[in-house]
Amino acid sequence: MMSESTTSSSDLNCDWKLDQTLTVGSHTLRSRLIVGTGKYDTNQLMKDSLVASGSDCVTVAVRREKMYTREGENILDFIDWERYTLLPNTAGCFNAKDAVRVARLGREILRGLENPGENWVKLEVLGDTKTLLPDPLATLEACKELVADGFEVLCYTSDDPIMAMRLKDAGAASVMPAGSPIGSGQGILNPNNLRIILEYLKSDDPNYPVIVDAGVGTASDVAVAFELGADGVLLNTAIAHAKDPVAMARAMHHAALAGRLAYTAGRIPKKLYATASSPEDGVITSRPW
Amino acid sequence: MATGSLGVDHASMPVQGKFERSIDDLMLEIEFNGAKRQVPVGTTILDLLQESRIETRFCAVESNLDIVPKSHYGSHQVQSGDKIEVVTLVGGG
């Protein structure tokens, strides 16, 4: 896995490979990408895409068992849960009570699998079926209750910096602002809000993990999120609904590496006017002024 | 105790002796994943899961919104009117 990382690290005289891990609560992941497992045409395509993404953490949803009509295929037959840390979500919940209930059921399933993900949850409490925007009040309420119940809560929220602070204060292990609406592929609509969130949440706590969750459309969106300073990116649709999901998963992997590396490398400031790359000293040509 | 939940006409049922019991004493009605279901008295969670060929490793079970621990599946007998919910993991983002 990640053979590129191994080969390219040899010609880089720095410990950037160490920086490619993501720590959230008690979990340390080998990749900064967290990928979803929904919307794939087949489970096999999902499995191949997960491998291509280089991720070691995947989100899953909790749903009612299909009775009698079961085709005998469970997604867990296609996810090596000794390799991947599962991150159960509360997708489809529109109030705090439902979200807490679903989070507890997810924990119960993962306990049975002895998967390390049993103590955490991706909390999402939505306010509206059309926009799938989070309900901030219900999200905060559920976050508090789940933290009190011992969960490490990775909290999906909008890109509102004040809400992000409230969730961190409520004990969220990670605040996960949306780049744009879920599944919209619009990328990061408000990078300035993301900058403020990162500044506020990390001001007294530089290692506090902020993960951009939702809205990614293509690899450059992932790179932008990391270049802004995000610690992780969580995405699903951009891979699952790409024409070639496996290739897109690979692209996302490279974008994550490139974006994070660019962030730690430190970009140049933007300037209004040009700065010549070749020296002025010794020019033999005339100037127009 | 369930009474008449199967709509059986008790008056026309054959009397088999002084120990004869109504069928309602042997069956009870529960709601299993949203559907009404008649099950014999004494049915356990494990019975329900096995009958529906549900992989117990991959599921979680709620009885009236309370989680039933896996270690209790074999001993937890359903009661009349119980709402049993069985969930598993599916693909999601």
Side-chain angles (χ1 to χ4, degrees):
Chain A
M1 192 181 115
M2 284 201 279
S3 56
E4 289 84 348
S5 316
T6 314
T7 49
S8 50
S9 68
S10 59
D11 54 6
L12 280 169
N13 194 18
C14 66
D15 59 354
W16 68 274
K17 257 184 83 182
L18 295 176
D19 185 58
Q20 296 296 339
T21 62
L22 169 62
T23 299
V24 179
S26 60
H27 299 268
T28 294
L29 307 172
R30 291 190 306 274
S31 166
R32 290 181 176 274
L33 270 189
I34 299 174
V35 292
T37 55
K39 297 183 177 177
Y40 285 93
D41 284 346
T42 66
N43 281 330
Q44 186 60 45
L45 188 58
M46 175 203 69
K47 186 179 181 179
D48 296 342
S49 300
L50 297 188
V51 171
S53 76
S55 175
D56 57 341
C57 177
V58 298
T59 57
V60 286
V62 175
R63 290 292 181 272
R64 185 177 265 174
E65 269 279 13
K66 291 188 181 122
M67 316 297 293
Y68 303 117
T69 55
R70 250 193 94 183
E71 290 154 8
E73 208 174 79
N74 191 296
I75 193 170
L76 292 170
D77 293 323
F78 289 83
I79 299 174
D80 179 357
W81 68 85
E82 292 188 356
R83 169 178 177 172
Y84 295 102
T85 298
L86 302 179
L87 174 56
N89 68 26
T90 62
C93 291
F94 289 82
N95 61 66
K97 195 176 160 194
D98 283 349
V100 169
R101 179 187 176 201
V102 168
R104 287 177 176 148
L105 285 167
R107 175 169 66 183
E108 178 65 15
I109 298 172
L110 264 63
R111 273 180 179 157
L113 300 174
E114 296 182 357
N115 186 274
E118 68 178 62
N119 68 337
W120 69 357
V121 65
K122 172 188 160 176
L123 173 65
E124 72 180 68
V125 191
L126 306 178
D128 174 61
T129 54
K130 189 171 180 180
T131 64
L132 298 182
L133 288 172
D135 180 326
L137 301 183
T139 300
L140 186 60
E141 184 187 343
C143 181
K144 286 177 179 169
E145 193 165 341
L146 290 170
V147 168
D149 194 18
F151 279 92
E152 292 179 356
V153 179
L154 288 75
C155 200
Y156 169 69
T157 180
S158 70
D159 59 10
D160 174 12
I162 307 303
M163 185 61 196
M165 285 197 297
R166 293 279 181 270
L167 292 168
K168 187 190 172 193
D169 290 346
S174 173
V175 171
M176 305 202 294
S180 53
I182 294 171
S184 71
Q186 296 180 55
I188 295 169
L189 291 182
N190 194 340
N192 288 338
N193 266 20
L194 199 52
R195 285 188 180 97
I196 296 170
I197 289 173
L198 288 160
E199 180 190 328
Y200 282 13
L201 268 50
K202 287 172 173 289
S203 63
D204 57 349
D205 190 2
N207 294 324
Y208 185 79
V210 175
I211 297 170
V212 170
D213 177 7
V216 166
T218 187
S220 54
D221 299 331
V222 170
V224 166
F226 283 111
E227 286 170 13
L228 287 167
D231 299 273
V233 171
L234 196 165
L235 73 154
N236 186 345
T237 310
I239 294 177
H241 278 186
K243 265 188 198 165
D244 182 344
V246 176
M248 185 57 88
R250 205 64 193 147
M252 297 301 186
H253 167 69
H254 287 294
L257 295 180
R260 180 67 189 182
L261 192 52
Y263 170 72
T264 52
R267 61 153 299 150
I268 59 163
K270 290 185 183 179
K271 287 172 286 190
L272 184 58
Y273 296 111
T275 315
S277 299
S278 305
E280 277 298 299
D281 214 28
V283 289
I284 56 171
T285 51
S286 60
R287 292 288 177 271
W289 62 84
Chain B
M1 190 61 67
T3 51
S5 57
L6 287 179
V8 173
D9 179 2
H10 301 281
S12 63
M13 287 178 70
V15 176
Q16 296 175 337
K18 65 178 180 178
F19 298 115
E20 181 267 342
R21 299 166 72 192
S22 157
I23 192 168
D24 288 342
D25 293 334
L26 305 174
M27 300 293 284
L28 48 80
E29 186 176 84
I30 61 167
E31 198 176 302
F32 188 31
N33 276 9
K36 300 272 190 221
R37 185 128 156 217
Q38 311 288 333
V39 297
V41 169
T43 295
T44 65
I45 296 291
L46 188 61
D47 294 332
L48 287 173
L49 296 176
Q50 286 177 342
E51 190 188 327
S52 301
R53 299 189 305 280
I54 290 171
E55 171 70 79
T56 55
R57 266 190 318 169
F58 296 165
C59 76
V61 179
E62 256 183 359
S63 172
N64 305 318
L65 299 179
D66 289 327
I67 290 176
V68 180
K70 279 192 198 305
S71 57
H72 296 184
Y73 287 176
S75 57
H76 184 111
Q77 295 184 2
V78 298
Q79 306 298 317
S80 177
D82 277 356
K83 284 187 164 65
I84 307 295
E85 196 70 60
V86 184
V87 295
T88 188
L89 297 179
V90 301

